[in-house]
Amino acid sequence: MGRYNFRPQRVYQATTQLLSTGRLTAPPSWYDVVGNVPPPQILVRTQPIEHHRRSRTKKPSKLFQPQNITYPEDKLRQEFFSDHPWELARPRVVLENDGKDAQTEDWSQIRQPGRPLDGESVIRRQTWLMENIPNMSKAGAYDQARKEFYEERLQEDIERRIAKEEAQATGAYFGKSMLEVGMELEDRQYEKWREWAGREVIEAKQRQASMYTSVDNSSMAISANDPETIAGLEELEEDSIPAQGQESFGGMPVRP
């Protein structure tokens, strides 16, 4: 384990020796090809380029593993999208025209021509503020970028609402909004759940009724002063005492 195996590279030399000694009568089909194009002799892998130096030495098992590439904007993205998770649900265009969009954009303002407003705009704006405004902290740049982002989003909502009202005034008809569709789906599922819950409650009550009886045991107690009890005892006395000279076949003799 852990040692290099050089036998595959010595196949050509071993075959040459077998041919010279006569143990092989004819060379294999690959013999001339391997002789003309021998395999490479480099057995050691090159180490990956280190992006940052570490004070402590690496373990041998992690010597050839690539290092993690991180950017300063990664933490800014994590903070913004953790505060605004619904921004990830908005459609985004990640295709670049020439790969040089960063050279043509001016992030002294958050609104960029030809670029939709999204969470990445806040990250770029925050980075520009931290790099170009003196004594601008990370939290201060984040608050200012978020404030500008909220104002632009509010302006977009106002423009969208006005455009819809103008279209409706001219006879346009719009279907249900996403919120209305979502509420209908939620109400539909709630009705299904209520029907299922009602059936479960009825079945639970039926199982409980089948396990326990509703008759009160106290009403079944026998009283000595009850007329029916007295009549029953008298009938038992008459039937249980046999006549003289006859043998008793059962029953309990009752004495008055």
Side-chain angles (χ1 to χ4, degrees):
M1 296 298 293
R3 310 179 86 179
Y4 290 106
N5 186 7
F6 295 99
R7 286 182 296 177
Q9 289 191 342
R10 297 171 182 168
V11 173
Y12 183 79
Q13 291 82 355
T15 306
T16 304
Q17 293 177 2
L18 293 175
L19 290 172
S20 61
T21 57
R23 299 182 63 179
L24 288 178
T25 58
S29 58
W30 51 264
Y31 182 77
D32 296 334
V33 178
V34 175
N36 297 328
V37 186
Q41 302 293 329
I42 300 176
L43 301 177
V44 181
R45 291 180 296 175
T46 58
Q47 297 185 10
I49 301 175
E50 294 187 358
H51 304 284
H52 56 85
R53 295 185 176 274
R54 297 183 179 182
S55 58
R56 59 185 180 86
T57 58
K58 291 184 178 180
K59 295 182 179 180
S61 60
K62 299 182 180 180
L63 184 62
F64 296 100
Q65 291 184 358
Q67 297 181 359
N68 295 328
I69 301 176
T70 58
Y71 297 94
E73 293 84 357
D74 293 341
K75 294 183 178 179
L76 304 181
R77 292 188 183 95
Q78 183 179 4
E79 182 180 4
F80 174 80
F81 288 109
S82 62
D83 296 338
H84 308 80
W86 284 104
E87 286 297 323
L88 296 173
R90 292 179 178 270
R92 296 180 56 190
V93 179
V94 296
L95 181 64
E96 296 181 351
N97 295 328
D98 54 0
K100 299 180 180 180
D101 295 346
Q103 299 178 4
T104 59
E105 295 170 348
D106 181 18
W107 289 105
S108 59
Q109 55 183 0
I110 193 171
R111 174 66 72 177
Q112 299 295 321
R115 181 188 180 96
L117 186 67
D118 53 5
E120 191 66 23
S121 302
V122 180
I123 307 304
R124 299 288 184 88
R125 175 61 174 165
Q126 182 182 0
T127 305
W128 188 92
L129 292 173
M130 295 171 59
E131 294 177 352
N132 296 274
I133 304 299
N135 300 326
M136 176 63 72
S137 62
K138 177 182 175 181
Y142 181 58
D143 293 339
Q144 183 174 347
R146 282 191 301 119
K147 182 180 179 181
E148 297 175 0
F149 176 73
Y150 296 156
E151 292 176 353
E152 293 292 336
R153 276 291 167 82
L154 179 60
Q155 185 67 25
E156 290 181 354
D157 293 340
I158 294 175
E159 294 176 358
R160 192 181 302 108
R161 191 181 305 113
I162 292 175
K164 182 178 179 180
E165 292 177 356
E166 291 177 351
Q168 289 177 345
T170 57
Y173 173 76
F174 295 93
K176 298 179 181 179
S177 63
M178 297 179 62
L179 182 60
E180 294 175 350
V181 173
M183 291 297 295
E184 289 184 358
L185 294 176
E186 185 176 352
D187 293 340
R188 195 179 306 168
Q189 293 297 328
Y190 174 74
E191 292 297 332
K192 292 182 180 179
W193 174 85
R194 189 171 66 174
E195 294 177 0
W196 171 83
R199 291 194 301 268
E200 291 293 326
V201 171
I202 294 174
E203 292 178 0
K205 290 183 178 180
Q206 291 177 354
R207 289 193 299 267
Q208 185 177 6
S210 62
M211 292 173 59
Y212 302 99
T213 179
S214 59
V215 180
D216 190 5
N217 294 330
S218 60
S219 61
M220 300 178 64
I222 300 176
S223 177
N225 299 325
D226 189 7
E228 296 181 358
T229 305
I230 297 174
L233 291 175
E234 292 178 353
E235 184 179 357
L236 183 62
E237 291 177 359
E238 296 177 355
D239 297 339
S240 300
I241 301 176
Q244 187 176 1
Q246 295 182 356
E247 185 179 359
S248 177
F249 292 96
M252 176 183 291
V254 179
R255 305 299 180 186

